[in-house]
Amino acid sequence: MNNIIVYCEIEEGGIADVSLELLTKGRKLADRLNCELEAVVVSNEIKGIEKVVFPYGVDTLYLAFDEKLYPYQTLPHASVLTKLFEEQKPQIALLGATSIGRDLAPRIASALKCGLTADCTSLEIGDHRDKKQKKDYHDLLYQIRPAFGGNIIATIINPDTRPQMATVREGVMKKEIFDPKYKGKVKKLKTSEYVSKEDFVVKILERHIEKKKIDIKSAQIIVSGGYGMGSKENFEMLFELADVLGGDVGGSRAAVDAGFIPHERQVGQTGVTVRPHLYIACGISGAVQHRAGMEESAMIISINKDPNAPINSIADYAIIGDVGEVIPKLIKFYKKNAK
Amino acid sequence: MKGFKIIVLAKQVPDTRNVGKDAMKANGTVNRAALPAVFNPEDLKALEQALRIKDQYPGTTITLLTMGPGRAAEIIREGLYRGADGGILITDRKFAGSDTLATSYAISLAIKKMAPYDMILAGRQAIDGDTAQVGPQAAEKLGIPQVTYCEEIVSINHKKVTVKRRLERGVETMEAPLPVLITVHGSAPECRSRNAKLLMKYKHAQTITEMQEATDDYIELHDSRPYLDIPEWTVADLNADEKWLGLSGSPTKVKKVTNVVFKAKESKVLTDSDEDIERLIIELLENHTIG
Ligand SMILES: Cc1cc2nc3c(=O)[nH]c(=O)nc-3n(C[C@H](O)[C@H](O)[C@H](O)COP(=O)(O)OP(=O)(O)OC[C@H]3O[C@@H](n4cnc5c(N)ncnc54)[C@H](O)[C@@H]3O)c2cc1C
C-alpha cells in the first residue's frame, strides 16, 4: 500500500532501459519515503524476468503474463494498470516517456482522475503549503519538467490525488544496480480478472520495429554537428573525430532537417537528452531547444565562426573559427599527443 | 459510400519559439496574450488527414472543436479556409487554469453533444505544453479506443479504419473500429494551404462575441448566411459539473516556475591557430577528459 510502482516496458524480450532507469530512481524515492518499490510487467511470458528486476531494489514484482498482452496495446495494458492501481493504491506511479508510456499513462490518469506530468527531467520529494486553504502537504512528488518550448522549467505537484503519475524521458536518469542479491516477491496476476474481450477491439496488422538502434545517450564523448557543418559529406569529419576520441556523433535539429544525419542522433528538446563527459558542438548556434538536451554535459567545447553565437556562453572552451579547419586540426593534434 | 462525420480537435497556441520576458504571469501560467498565436502544427496535420478523407468520400463533414479564449476563433477560420465545414469554440472563464484532465473533460462533453461521429482527429501534442495527454484522456472519457502517432490513414470504411502509426523505433499498422480517436504525428504530411474561394466565403465567419461591435447591416448580412456563424459553447451549454473544470478540476498544480537562464560559465575563448588547438588537446588529455 502507498508504495512506488514502475511500469516496466518490454523491448525485445527484455526490460527497456528507460524502465531500469526509473527503477533506479524509484528505489531512491522509496528509501526517502520509507516505502517499498514495486514493478509491473504486462507481456507474454518472459522466463526469469525477476532476475533482471530485483537487483534494482524491487520489493514486489507484479507479472501480468498472457500471449495477447504482447506486443503492447493501449486498451488491455490500460485495463491492467488501472485495476492494479485501484487495488494497490500506490502513491507514485512512474512510466517511461516513450511511444508506449505517453500513450498509456494519460489513459490511466483519466480513468483514475489523477494528475499526470509528462516528460519529467527530474523527480524530487518535497513539501507544499497551500496558502489559500492553509493546508500543509508533506512528501509530495515534485515533477520537474521543461515547459513552454523549453523556455521555462516547471515544478508540478499533485497535492490531493493519488497516484502521483509522471513519465520520464529515456536517458535523463541514471541506471544503477542497487544490490545484485536483492530479493523481492513475485505476484502473478490472473489476467482474466484484469482485461476483457472489449480491450482487444484494435488489431495490429503489421509491425516493423528496428532492432539495433542508434543510441548516442550512452556515449561519454559526443561530437555534435549543426547546420554550420554545411553538408552531409562534412559530417564525415565528425565521425572521424568521434572515432579517434572514442565517442559518438550527434546533431542539431537543423542538421537533421537538412538531411545531414538521421533523427536518432538529434540532441535537444525534441531529440535525446545527453550528459556526456565532453560535448563538442560544431557549427551549432545553441538555440534554447538544443541546449535543453546537452547543457548538463560535464564539459562543452564549441566551434563556431561567430563569436556571438549563444552556444559560446555555455561553453567551457569556445573556439572561434571555421569547422572545416578546426576539426582536422583537433584530429591531427590528438593523434600527435595521445599515447 | 456515404461520407464520414469527423471532428478535429485543434488548439491555438502561443508561438513558443519567440518567448519574451513578459510572457509569464506571476502565478506561473502563460500570458498567452503577450505572444503571437498560431494553429498548433500537429493539429493542422490532423486537419489534413480529415481533408484527405473528405476528398475521397464526398459528403464527409469536418467540424473543428477548440477550447480557448475568444480569439481562438481565428484558428476555426483558418480551418474553414482550408476546407473544414464548421467549427465550435468552447470558451468560458470557468475553464481558466484547466490542466489536461479538466480540458479533456470539457472536450469530451462537447464531443458527446456533437454525437454521432465516426472519428475524432487531433494533433499528437501542442507545442506550448508538449504533453500529448488530451487526446488519450478524451478517448478514455468517451469510452472509445485511441490510435496515437498516426502518420497516415491508410483506408477507411464505415466499420473500421486502418492507420499507420509512427513509433520511436518503427511503424505499426493498426485496424480500429469506429468511432475512434486518432492523434496525428509530426511526420504526417503538411496541411494544404488556404483556398482562395473558401477564404472569400468564410472571411466573415465570426462568433457572437466577435459580432458585438458590428453594425446592424453587418449583423443582418451575417444572419442570412448561417455558415458564417461560429457557435460558442460555455459551461452551461455543456452541462458540465464545475468541480471537474478549471483549477478545481485540475489535479496537477504548478508549484514553481523558473525561467531558463543559462548561467554564463567562465568560458575560455580560443582562436583556430595551431598553438591554441594543440594546447587545448594537451589540456584535455592531462585532465583525462579525453583518453
Ligand atoms: C518546439 C521546438 C523544438 C525544437 N527541438 C530542437 C531539438 O531537439 N534540437 C535542436 O537542436 N533544435 C531544436 N529546435 C530548433 C532550434 O530552435 C534551432 O533552430 C536549431 O537548434 C538550430 O540548429 P543549428 O544550431 O544547427 O543551426 P543554426 O541556428 O542555423 O546555426 C548554425 C551555426 O553554425 C555557425 N556556422 C556556420 N558556418 C560555420 C562554419 N563554417 N564554421 C563554424 N561555424 C559555422 C553559425 O555561426 C551558426 O551559429 C527546436 C525548435 C522548436 C521550435
Side-chain angles (χ1 to χ4, degrees), chain B residues 100-118:
Chain B
T100 65
L101 192 74
T103 301
S104 65
Y105 172 65
I107 284 176
S108 68
L109 291 181
I111 293 171
K112 282 180 191 161
K113 198 173 148 101
M114 294 162 81
Y117 52 88
D118 294 300

Side-chain angles (χ1 to χ4, degrees), chain A residues 226-227 252-254 266-270 283 285 289-290 304 323, chain B residues 17:
Chain A
Y227 194 67
S252 70
R253 184 156 98 178
Q266 182 184 315
V267 172
Q269 187 200 332
T270 47
S285 59
Q289 295 89 356
H290 186 78
N304 202 302
V323 288
Chain B
R17 290 157 290 200

